[in-house]
Amino acid sequence: MRTIAYRDALREAIRDEMRRDERVFIMGEDIAGYGGTYAVTKGLIDEFGEKRVRDTPLAELVIAGAGIGAALGGLRPIVEIMTANFSLLASDQIINSAAKWHYMFGGQAHVPIVFRMPGGGGAQRGAQHSQMLETMYAHIPGLKVVMPATPYDAKGMLKSAIRDDDPVLFVEHELLYSVKGEVPDESEEYTVPLNRGIVRREGRDVTIVTFSRMVHICMQAAEDLAKEGIAAEVIDLRAIRPIDLELVMDSVKKTNRVVVAEEGWKYYGTGQGIAAMIYEHAFDYLDAPVGHVAGADVPMPYSKPLERAALPTKADVVAAVTAIVPARQAAATPTPAAAGAR
Amino acid sequence: MTQVQASRPTRKSHSAPAEERERFLSMYRQMVRIRLFEEQVNDLYKTARMPGLAHLYSGEEAVAVGVCATLRRDDYITSTHRGHGHCLAKGASIDRMFAELLGKAPGYCRGKGGSMHIADQDTGNLGANAIVGGSAGIATGAAFASKMRGQDRVAVCFFGDGALGQGLLYEVMNMASLWKLPVIYVCENNLYNEYTHYTETTAGALTERAKAFGIHTDAVDGQDVRAVYAAARQLVDRARGGDGPAFLLCDTYRFYGHHVGDIQRTYYRSKEEEEHWKTQRDPLILLGQWLSAEGIAGESDLEHLRDEARAEVEAGVRFALDAPFPELSEVDQHVYA
């Protein structure tokens, strides 16, 4: 296997699918000649030309709306929204049209469209360029929301998303684009399903449920916890709608303790939704309240130390785990080897 | 139409070619179907057999009919909350539309859409969007798909004067002009954004807005179906031929209120105004007069067409009233593909 960056994995997925299916095209702001704000689409115009790699006006509402119309007209659009923050301008089209067209018209038409967008903070981009808005979309029936954390999943899930007949919000993270990971050779075809989480690390003392960039932070936290004798199981949800509830419940029934970790805001969010599902489906298995690590309840500040203070850290995850895992249990549990999950 | 020929007045007989005569008779038939459909909807509402968020198209028939008469079955349209006329003009059947309005299983959307959300994929109707202006992007994208796939289908986006306030409309006209897309934006100016006269909400000259994007623009009397047809014919032909988008402003009037429950209207428009439009500017009366003057059809011929439409509407509403509701198990069907 090769080791490539997340952004390159995304590009390979787009290229593969555009070669495989001539109905696939991509449009967005500065994605053609410039190659995209995060260089995901760099070079695609050389192979596919400006007909299929299209620069658009800076107008998210029509980018989304025309994408939906193109999907209804028989194409399979990939729409790049420069950042998730700007998707709010397109949210009427995503929520009122894309999410509802199949249902509202009694199953007559499909809307096979992928809305790609990066979210997240950590690069000092300030309050309007750092938001995690996946919760908003995950609330909406009719949408699928996926948030891969690794290059392997980024490629495999983007390919699945493009082939999917439903609208998919493909939420990347600004700080993941340069993260490297193992990906099969280009000649090796693979996809990753849009509805399955994965156990990144096995453990029996506590389950950490997370997704997107927080997966990496939680894996580091699990490493630290292992040194203290706490065996944490780390679940990467990979998708939050639909959510792989079975994987979470199976783990909770084994560990009896859960911490949910996310970068987004705490209140009324994805993490609280997951906690509620655990209480609803596995209350009798819990030995402690569900712990919750989330971003600070503030618009993202600009100043470096303030931004750091607003983002959840490895220490926050470790603290949330140790708050619900009793010391004697931890000491009595041997540390399992890290699972070879990618 | 043997009956038409038998009773044709002789004053200006044969002045119009046969094809044209049949075309305008067909338009009369379509406009009558829409008018009687809407009257039946109003009756269903008043007799509490249907919930009240129906927005009637009565008075505006010439716009949908004149435009859709220029379209092929596989051309696209997008429609609005006031969309019954667009659906019928594009080819939807009356019985399945009534079934949808009553939330019944044989409805176009299996009862999941209702009055404001009817799509009919088989006739190119991509769907009615109840977000004002909300389908402008979809029509534009469908036109893009047609061009991208090397087809010659055009897309028509119907919207009202209220949508002129929505930003999306200007984003789409910009894109359609830049990308030279085969889309026609048809603005049905019925004078009122819900309950407010459009001059109170809309600055400047309406057609200048489209012209600013370099979009070919035309304006017609939306009560004159022949004028609408002639203008739309030209715009559709040039779009199909690769000459890009167009904007068509149609001045029209809704005979009823914003929706069926809007019956006390004097605080925003006078009874005299309504009376003027209904007696002097009714598109059915205007076309009927022309058909008669041209010797194409006399009053008895038109009455015959109205009787046919009345029978179709009565059969359609009976079909819908008798039809079953959807199975409860359908409530979570069609959320995902």
Side-chain angles (χ1 to χ4, degrees):
Chain A
M1 279 220 255
R2 305 166 294 152
T3 298
I4 63 171
Y6 191 97
R7 67 160 56 79
D8 300 323
L10 291 170
R11 188 184 312 112
E12 285 188 5
I14 297 166
R15 200 174 55 212
D16 277 7
E17 295 306 300
M18 287 183 70
R19 283 177 182 166
R20 193 184 60 80
D21 184 347
E22 63 176 17
R23 298 170 302 171
V24 178
F25 74 101
I26 183 163
M27 64 175 168
E29 298 161 359
D30 285 321
I31 65 153
Y34 183 68
T37 301
Y38 298 97
V40 171
T41 54
K42 214 169 190 60
L44 290 178
I45 191 170
D46 298 332
E47 178 172 351
F48 300 105
E50 61 185 17
K51 190 178 169 198
R52 294 177 70 197
V53 182
R54 303 184 75 93
D55 276 335
T56 64
L58 304 188
E60 284 77 12
L61 193 52
V62 69
I63 296 170
I68 296 163
L72 290 169
L75 297 175
R76 301 189 80 86
I78 308 166
V79 164
E80 178 173 307
I81 303 285
M82 192 185 292
T83 83
N85 308 277
F86 311 158
S87 78
L88 293 172
L89 291 160
S91 57
D92 164 68
Q93 296 293 301
I94 297 171
I95 294 172
N96 276 321
S97 292
K100 295 176 177 45
W101 227 251
H102 185 57
Y103 187 90
M104 192 163 77
F105 298 122
Q108 286 187 64
H110 300 305
V111 187
I113 184 169
V114 180
F115 298 99
R116 282 186 44 241
M117 60 186 80
Q124 280 193 275
R125 307 251 192 247
Q128 294 179 331
H129 283 66
S130 303
Q131 296 173 97
M132 298 291 280
L133 297 172
E134 66 279 2
T135 282
M136 194 179 84
Y137 296 111
H139 191 58
I140 308 296
L143 299 179
K144 292 177 177 173
V145 183
V146 304
M147 306 191 68
T150 66
Y152 181 94
D153 285 348
K155 181 173 180 181
M157 293 180 87
L158 185 51
K159 286 165 71 80
S160 293
I162 293 166
R163 297 179 194 186
D164 200 89
D165 279 337
D166 290 313
V168 178
L169 275 283
F170 196 93
V171 186
E172 299 153 16
H173 192 295
E174 181 171 341
L175 296 189
L176 285 177
Y177 285 124
S178 297
V179 167
K180 292 188 170 170
E182 288 192 337
V183 173
D185 289 341
E186 281 193 71
S187 57
E188 194 180 323
E189 165 75 16
Y190 77 96
T191 58
V192 174
L194 302 180
N195 60 352
R196 287 279 172 268
I198 187 169
V199 176
R200 293 280 173 206
R201 180 186 174 112
E202 288 181 5
R204 61 176 59 159
D205 296 331
V206 63
T207 302
I208 303 173
V209 181
T210 188
F211 51 91
S212 191
R213 178 170 173 257
M214 283 302 288
V215 169
H216 301 280
I217 289 166
C218 291
M219 289 297 280
Q220 292 163 16
E223 198 65 31
D224 286 6
L225 288 162
K227 289 172 191 157
E228 296 175 32
I230 298 176
E233 181 146 299
V234 178
I235 289 181
D236 174 2
L237 289 172
R238 301 200 287 198
I240 58 172
R241 177 184 271 272
I243 184 171
D244 190 350
L245 205 54
E246 197 182 338
L247 185 74
V248 174
M249 295 308 155
D250 285 350
S251 181
V252 170
K253 288 171 184 174
K254 180 175 74 173
T255 64
N256 312 116
R257 290 178 166 80
V258 195
V259 167
V260 182
E262 64 183 330
E263 183 179 318
W265 293 304
K266 180 169 192 165
Y267 298 102
Y268 315 109
T270 299
Q272 290 194 336
I274 293 167
M277 286 182 243
I278 293 168
Y279 285 126
E280 186 178 340
H281 297 284
F283 184 79
D284 290 342
Y285 291 91
L286 289 174
D287 287 343
V290 174
H292 190 184
V293 176
D297 198 30
V298 298
M300 189 63 74
Y302 164 73
S303 169
K304 192 70 194 170
L306 292 181
E307 186 186 46
R308 277 192 184 142
L311 286 167
T313 63
K314 180 178 73 170
D316 294 332
V317 178
V318 169
V321 168
T322 52
I324 60 167
V325 178
R328 53 189 166 74
Q329 182 192 333
T333 310
T335 308
R342 48 189 175 223
Chain B
M1 294 301 298
T2 46
Q3 187 177 350
V4 170
Q5 289 179 356
S7 61
R8 180 190 305 138
T10 53
R11 188 155 62 92
K12 283 178 72 178
S13 64
H14 298 290
S15 66
E19 191 186 339
E20 190 172 314
R21 290 204 309 270
E22 182 48 43
R23 178 186 304 136
F24 290 116
L25 274 174
S26 167
M27 289 188 203
Y28 187 88
R29 192 181 300 120
Q30 280 288 39
M31 292 202 296
V32 167
R33 289 172 79 232
I34 296 169
R35 177 70 55 87
L36 296 178
F37 180 92
E38 296 293 55
E39 283 180 7
Q40 180 66 65
V41 172
N42 200 32
D43 185 61
L44 287 170
Y45 169 74
K46 285 196 295 189
T47 53
R49 288 178 291 175
M50 200 192 119
L53 259 182
H55 306 76
L56 303 182
Y57 198 67
S58 304
E60 307 185 26
E61 296 91 344
V63 179
V65 170
V67 171
C68 288
T70 69
L71 299 179
R72 297 194 317 230
R73 188 178 172 89
D74 68 343
D75 286 331
Y76 297 114
I77 66 163
T78 61
S79 174
T80 72
H81 59 287
R82 196 177 306 287
H84 305 163
H86 309 135
C87 296
L88 288 168
K90 194 66 173 64
S93 75
I94 277 178
D95 49 2
R96 292 191 62 199
M97 281 190 59
F98 273 128
E100 188 58 40
L101 265 56
L102 295 180
K104 299 296 187 71
Y108 273 102
C109 313
R110 299 203 58 78
K112 282 175 169 155
S115 164
M116 290 191 283
H117 302 297
I118 297 183
D120 178 15
Q121 210 169 13
D122 293 340
T123 59
N125 178 358
L126 292 173
N129 197 326
I131 306 299
V132 169
S135 273
I138 290 169
T140 306
F144 169 72
S146 169
K147 181 170 180 169
M148 180 99 156
R149 298 174 73 191
Q151 303 170 330
D152 64 349
R153 297 157 100 167
V154 304
V156 168
C157 177
F158 290 106
F159 56 91
D161 45 293
L164 293 168
Q166 296 283 13
L168 176 60
L169 195 63
Y170 306 98
E171 294 191 18
V172 303
M173 288 199 286
N174 183 50
M175 180 181 276
S177 183
L178 283 169
W179 294 3
K180 225 174 173 185
L181 300 179
V183 55
I184 296 105
Y185 302 104
V186 176
C187 178
E188 304 174 317
N189 180 12
N190 66 19
L191 305 185
Y192 294 92
N193 296 191
E194 293 198 344
Y195 316 106
T196 302
H197 198 274
Y198 82 95
T199 52
E200 294 177 44
T201 60
T202 318
L206 306 190
T207 50
E208 292 304 311
R209 296 176 173 215
K211 284 181 192 164
F213 294 103
I215 286 183
H216 185 85
T217 301
D218 202 353
V220 291
D221 173 1
Q223 305 308 88
D224 179 353
V225 72
R226 294 183 305 118
V228 173
Y229 175 82
R233 175 88 274 160
Q234 194 199 3
L235 303 183
V236 167
D237 287 348
R238 62 185 294 288
R240 206 185 298 288
D243 291 334
F247 182 96
L248 179 62
L249 177 65
C250 301
D251 291 321
T252 184
Y253 197 77
R254 59 171 206 237
F255 285 180
Y256 290 96
H258 170 54
H259 59 79
V260 285
D262 171 26
I263 49 175
Q264 301 295 336
R265 301 187 287 270
T266 48
Y267 70 95
Y268 70 88
R269 67 185 201 188
S270 69
K271 288 195 164 139
E272 291 72 28
E273 178 185 292
E274 291 188 358
E275 202 53 30
H276 169 75
W277 282 87
K278 285 178 184 172
T279 56
Q280 309 299 312
R281 309 288 299 123
D282 183 330
L284 275 168
I285 295 175
L286 295 177
L287 180 61
Q289 287 169 344
W290 182 82
L291 288 168
S292 177
E294 288 294 307
I296 297 172
E299 180 52 34
S300 64
D301 306 315
L302 301 180
E303 184 57 36
H304 177 68
L305 292 179
R306 289 195 289 270
D307 286 343
E308 281 181 344
R310 200 169 286 120
E312 188 186 2
V313 165
E314 281 170 10
V317 80
R318 212 164 35 242
F319 167 83
L321 287 166
D322 292 344
F325 282 107
E327 296 291 332
L328 292 185
S329 61
E330 292 189 37
V331 69
D332 58 359
Q333 274 177 19
H334 302 131
V335 180
Y336 294 100

